[in-house]
Amino acid sequence: MGLDEDALEYHEAKPPGKVEISTTKPTNTQRDLSLAYSPGVAAPCEKIADDPADAYRYTTKGNMVGVVSNGTAVLGLGDIGAQASKPVMEGKGVLFKRFADIDVFDIELDDADPDGFCAAVERMEPTFGGINLEDISAPECFEIEARLRESMDIPVFHDDQHGTAIISGAALMNACELTGKSFEDLSVVFSGAGAAATATARFYTDLGVDPDNITMVDIDGIITEERAAAGDPHEYTEPFAAESGGELEDAIEGADVFVGLSVGGIVSEEMVQSMAADPVVFAMANPNPEIGYEEAMAARDDLIMATGRSDYPNQVNNVLGFPFLFRGALDVRATDINEPMKQAAAEALADLAKEDVPDAVVKAYGDEPLQFGPEYLIPKPLDTRVLFEVSAAVAQAAIDSGVARAERDLDGYRDELEARLGKGREMMRTVLTKAQSNPKRVVFSEGADRKIIRAAYQLQDEGIAEPILVGDADQIHRTAAELGLAFDPEIVDPTSDHLDPYAERLHELRKRDGVTRNEADSLIRDGDWLASTLVEMGDADVMLTGLTHHYPTALRPPLQVVGTAPDANYAAGVYMLTFDDRVVFCADATVNQAPDEDVLAEVARHTADLARQFNVDPRVALLSYSDFGTVDNEGTRKPREAADRLRSDPTVDFPVDGEMQADTAVVEDILTTDYSFAELDEPANVLVFPNLEAGNIAYKLLQRLGGADAVGPMLVGMDKPVHVLQRGDEVKDIVNLASVAVVDAQEDEE
């Protein structure tokens, strides 16, 4: 089946189209409905009538954008009309929601006349917090946007004009940094004179390019002053008109930058060869660029290139811009998206491209290394960091430039944006903030691994921890240099001649378990034994291991050297699973195969303590396939007895009950109606499983089929913080687990 057939089937599948409306408040009872509509709805209506700004408080206006088009310039389809443009506008709404959690109504207006179009959009102002104009032909689009920006008190943005300008502007900033060229001296040639080309040329001048150094070429050749004065192709190209004419090959000779926003195949290898040293080619015609990527790269060794295609480096994709511009603008109730906000977006994108790229992004794009340089000028569209980097920069620029009607604490705002990516990000932000308040020394037993080095850099750079890497010092320094990471972590080399104190301590701890002094000398050369001893002796506060070998193998050295806490006899592995509306802690998922009631009770205590580190008040359920004695056998008695012990212990300060089935534990109606006698008056958020098999199966099903984000496994019950990573964990997982361990160490001090 071809792409067209796939697309038709995709759009036709029930329900047709790509969007629907869903409610955000309960509508299950008569009272819910009376609050949602009559008579309760009168109260917010009266408030808004008294103060129109209250619409942002009581309605969706503050998170609602209208995507408006007349279908006169759709994608590569041209003037296909308003109705035929609807699939594209729905798709735009999908991107707004997917990337920035912004709700959209798509509006298709059957009106090509600027007067009628503007009048219709102006009347929609009470509905929307912003207007995104889409697929409107030039030159009418310039007039329409200018008029609406002037007449409306909400942001109006024509993405076809400014999106490409902002994204390619970010790429150009970084291309200039790599080539050592300055904006003021750049000679820039544009192929195309439509909305995108004209707006991009304007934006480049705002960044510092001299308008006299910009040459614009269309199908009829170089746009001259004579042509521009006659309105050919339109008046908006006049600032870039040249004194004399010529063809594209004349304009491109000696140029520093070529910007293609026209048609494919019009630039030859010879033209690229005629450009200045270290040329920049942005061939952005879709689907076929003005010159193919392979042709252009074959023409010059010193070329930096970007296209509009995802299958080549440096894709200039507007989705890196408009969702985040509107997110920042909406969140400060901006009246406009002005030039400082656009520049702030471009600068934030350029800066983000210089940061280490998350593993999830690398995997999404084929596991090819992504590192700042000629083939990585701008972030990838699936990089979730764009949301809180660009939106925060835009919001700050709106405040600084005086178009914001609401102030924001930008530090808190970044946390709020990150929380939009899911409950797990929100929970981890709490832990990261705690960790940054008092960083601890984290020793990594696999310190020469590339992921560990990248994680260590992030931990140090963000002030979360002081990393200690166990591994070959030369290899670690070499790998850090290859990754472009300028940092100097503490390194403990297992081949060092200065490990005698650690070997002596290991022998002292393990001599009654058959470890001789010579064997201790050998064991201490192993990363896990060395890191464990560092923690036990107080030369490190926290240990992480397990990235490159199996969990039981990684766990054995810290269990035998660091051991469990004085008040603990057992360790356990806990996963925090986050959903859209709740978080649960699942234990034990990695350590104890067949726990008895003593183990279950202790695991429940440790997991409740862990929940509090995430600012969660624990409510503990001991799970089984039985509810409060409906089945009585050895298996159900263990969780029942554990729950009884905990409830009768005066030192236990959290609600706990069991044994109970999983749905009883997490469904409020079952818990409070069928089992109103239970100690839990709300659904449990700490789930203690009857054995390792059940815990491991459950958390993996919830993660894979239930859509939960998982953080862990977090090891509880140890004398000092030790966590065992899962083989193949990503850098963000390592950073998250290290942050949890730092908070563990902080609490141990208290």
Side-chain angles (χ1 to χ4, degrees):
M1 186 179 288
L3 181 61
D4 287 351
E5 290 79 7
D6 284 346
L8 290 172
E9 183 178 300
Y10 173 87
H11 284 79
E12 187 181 17
K14 302 294 184 184
K18 297 186 286 285
V19 295
E20 66 179 5
I21 296 174
S22 62
T23 59
T24 59
K25 302 293 190 298
T27 56
N28 299 318
T29 67
Q30 180 59 42
R31 176 169 173 76
D32 291 340
L33 295 176
S34 68
L35 293 172
Y37 195 53
S38 180
V41 75
C45 289
E46 290 171 344
K47 286 285 189 181
I48 296 168
D50 292 339
D51 182 0
D54 275 348
Y56 289 92
R57 183 177 179 185
Y58 296 113
T59 77
T60 61
K61 180 181 175 80
N63 196 51
M64 180 69 71
V65 166
V67 172
V68 188
S69 180
N70 59 12
T72 54
V74 177
L75 290 174
L77 304 175
D79 185 357
I80 61 174
Q83 182 117 307
S85 75
K86 187 171 177 62
V88 179
M89 303 313 128
E90 285 186 356
K92 196 80 171 187
V94 169
L95 298 179
F96 267 108
K97 188 66 177 179
R98 163 64 177 80
F99 287 97
D101 194 27
I102 293 173
D103 297 318
V104 163
F105 281 125
D106 59 283
I107 309 291
E108 292 75 35
L109 296 175
D110 191 10
D111 197 336
D113 175 59
D115 291 335
F117 188 93
C118 288
V121 176
E122 287 166 352
R123 289 194 289 269
M124 298 179 198
E125 184 166 341
T127 300
F128 297 111
I131 296 291
N132 182 91
L133 300 172
E134 193 76 17
D135 291 351
I136 302 169
S137 61
E140 290 81 9
C141 62
F142 302 114
E143 177 187 350
I144 287 171
E145 186 196 36
R147 286 172 57 174
L148 292 175
R149 287 182 65 185
E150 179 67 27
S151 63
M152 300 183 77
D153 204 28
I154 57 175
V156 177
F157 181 81
H158 185 207
D159 185 44
D160 298 318
Q161 288 185 56
H162 309 296
T164 300
I166 292 165
I167 314 310
S168 69
L172 188 58
M173 289 178 189
N174 281 338
C176 285
E177 180 173 329
L178 290 170
T179 60
K181 296 182 179 181
S182 66
F183 275 92
E184 294 79 6
D185 298 328
L186 288 180
S187 170
V188 184
V189 173
F190 278 82
S191 173
T198 306
T200 301
R202 286 176 171 176
F203 188 66
Y204 286 7
T205 64
D206 292 334
L207 296 178
V209 176
D210 187 340
D212 291 338
N213 290 341
I214 293 178
T215 303
M216 194 165 280
V217 184
D218 67 1
I219 194 171
D220 296 319
I222 295 174
I223 296 172
T224 62
E225 293 174 354
E226 181 180 357
R227 287 181 58 191
D232 177 19
H234 51 76
E235 63 185 279
Y236 299 96
T237 60
E238 188 170 357
F240 313 110
E243 291 183 4
S244 57
E247 301 303 323
L248 179 58
E249 56 264 33
D250 302 314
I252 204 171
E253 185 175 356
D256 295 295
V257 181
F258 169 80
V259 181
L261 289 159
S262 52
V263 295
I266 61 172
V267 174
S268 66
E269 291 187 43
E270 290 75 20
M271 291 184 192
V272 174
Q273 290 166 353
S274 75
M275 295 178 70
D278 301 312
V280 175
V281 172
F282 294 166
M284 296 179 286
N286 260 326
N288 299 313
E290 284 79 1
I291 181 172
Y293 182 81
E294 291 84 0
E295 292 176 80
M297 298 306 293
R300 298 282 293 256
D301 292 332
D302 57 350
L303 176 68
I304 294 177
M305 186 171 184
T307 71
R309 293 177 53 143
S310 61
D311 51 348
Y312 296 120
N314 299 322
Q315 182 193 18
V316 178
N317 189 328
N318 285 16
V319 81
L320 284 168
F322 67 85
F324 316 110
L325 279 160
F326 272 100
R327 181 76 275 157
L330 291 172
D331 289 340
V332 295
R333 299 185 190 175
T335 58
D336 191 16
I337 294 177
N338 58 22
E339 295 311 309
M341 294 162 73
K342 297 171 194 172
Q343 289 187 40
E347 290 166 0
L349 286 170
D351 289 342
L352 184 56
K354 300 168 191 172
E355 301 293 329
D356 189 46
V357 182
D359 290 334
V361 178
V362 175
K363 287 181 179 179
Y365 290 91
D367 285 322
E368 290 296 321
L370 297 176
Q371 187 174 331
F372 177 62
E375 294 190 346
Y376 185 69
L377 299 174
I378 47 178
K380 295 292 188 180
L382 294 180
D383 192 333
T384 56
R385 299 173 301 168
V386 178
L387 173 62
F388 42 91
E389 295 295 341
V390 175
S391 299
V394 169
Q396 184 65 67
I399 293 169
D400 294 343
S401 62
V403 298
R405 287 175 290 194
E407 290 289 331
R408 282 277 184 175
D409 168 21
L410 267 296
D411 289 334
Y413 178 51
R414 288 173 61 88
D415 294 345
E416 178 186 324
L417 289 169
E418 193 161 3
R420 286 184 178 275
L421 298 175
K423 191 74 173 175
R425 298 293 287 260
E426 180 182 359
M427 301 296 291
M428 280 311 307
R429 176 52 57 185
T430 299
V431 172
L432 291 170
T433 302
K434 283 185 180 180
Q436 288 169 329
S437 69
N438 186 12
K440 299 297 178 184
R441 298 163 299 171
V442 179
V443 60
F444 293 93
S445 66
E446 301 148 301
D449 184 88
R450 293 174 73 89
K451 288 183 180 178
I452 296 294
I453 292 170
R454 291 168 57 204
Y457 171 78
Q458 289 186 29
L459 290 164
Q460 186 181 86
D461 186 56
E462 296 179 24
I464 297 169
E466 300 168 13
I468 302 170
L469 303 182
V470 175
D472 182 275
D474 291 338
Q475 182 182 348
I476 291 171
H477 287 304
R478 189 165 54 249
T479 302
E482 291 172 1
L483 293 169
L485 304 179
F487 83 124
D488 188 22
E490 182 179 346
I491 297 173
V492 178
D493 194 326
T495 64
S496 168
D497 295 329
H498 306 289
L499 300 182
D500 280 352
Y502 301 115
E504 183 63 35
R505 179 57 179 163
L506 180 58
H507 175 244
E508 180 67 25
L509 291 168
R510 301 293 299 160
K511 63 186 179 183
R512 291 288 182 178
D513 295 289
V515 175
T516 67
R517 185 61 174 80
N518 286 338
E519 287 172 332
D521 282 333
S522 177
L523 286 174
I524 209 67
R525 304 291 175 181
D526 176 90
D528 284 330
W529 290 101
L530 177 53
S532 300
T533 309
L534 282 166
V535 171
E536 197 280 334
M537 292 181 67
D539 289 343
D541 303 303
V542 169
M543 174 183 171
L544 260 70
T545 182
L547 184 67
T548 60
H549 42 277
H550 292 291
Y551 196 94
T553 304
L555 183 58
R556 189 174 301 111
L559 273 177
Q560 294 183 0
V561 175
V562 177
T564 56
D567 62 345
N569 297 303
Y570 312 99
V574 181
Y575 275 91
M576 181 178 74
L577 301 180
T578 57
F579 303 84
D580 288 342
D581 59 348
R582 70 171 69 184
V583 57
V584 295
F585 295 83
C586 296
D588 174 17
T590 60
V591 179
N592 300 287
Q593 290 190 11
D596 60 18
E597 53 269 30
D598 294 329
V599 178
L600 291 173
E602 190 169 307
V603 168
R605 287 176 181 270
H606 294 321
T607 310
D609 290 339
L610 178 66
R612 288 194 171 109
Q613 292 182 20
F614 289 86
N615 290 344
V616 173
D617 291 328
R619 299 185 297 274
V620 178
L622 280 296
L623 300 183
S624 180
Y625 63 91
S626 167
D627 275 319
F628 307 104
T630 54
V631 176
D632 186 32
N633 59 35
E634 183 182 359
T636 62
R637 287 186 210 118
K638 291 177 183 178
R640 189 186 314 150
E641 175 62 23
D644 288 343
R645 291 185 187 183
L646 291 166
R647 284 199 308 275
S648 62
D649 187 337
T651 66
V652 171
D653 58 353
F654 51 83
V656 55
D657 215 334
E659 88 288 10
M660 65 179 73
Q661 295 185 23
D663 55 347
T664 302
V666 300
V667 178
E668 186 167 10
D669 284 348
I670 299 176
L671 188 65
T672 59
T673 302
D674 297 345
Y675 302 102
S676 58
F677 58 84
E679 294 293 322
L680 304 180
D681 54 8
E682 294 182 69
N685 51 30
V686 172
L687 306 179
V688 181
F689 289 87
N691 54 52
L692 180 60
E693 189 174 25
N696 194 270
I697 290 170
Y699 100 77
K700 289 185 176 180
L701 282 174
L702 287 169
Q703 183 182 14
R704 298 300 181 183
L705 299 182
D709 288 328
V711 176
M714 295 171 277
L715 200 60
V716 296
M718 297 293 289
D719 190 31
K720 294 184 179 180
V722 174
H723 289 305
V724 181
L725 298 159
Q726 293 287 285
R727 296 181 73 189
D729 270 352
E730 297 180 359
V731 171
K732 71 177 179 63
D733 301 314
I734 302 169
V735 171
N736 285 346
L737 207 53
S739 303
V740 171
V742 168
V743 174
D744 284 347
Q746 292 172 348
E747 301 211 349
D748 284 349
E749 282 186 344
E750 299 171 2

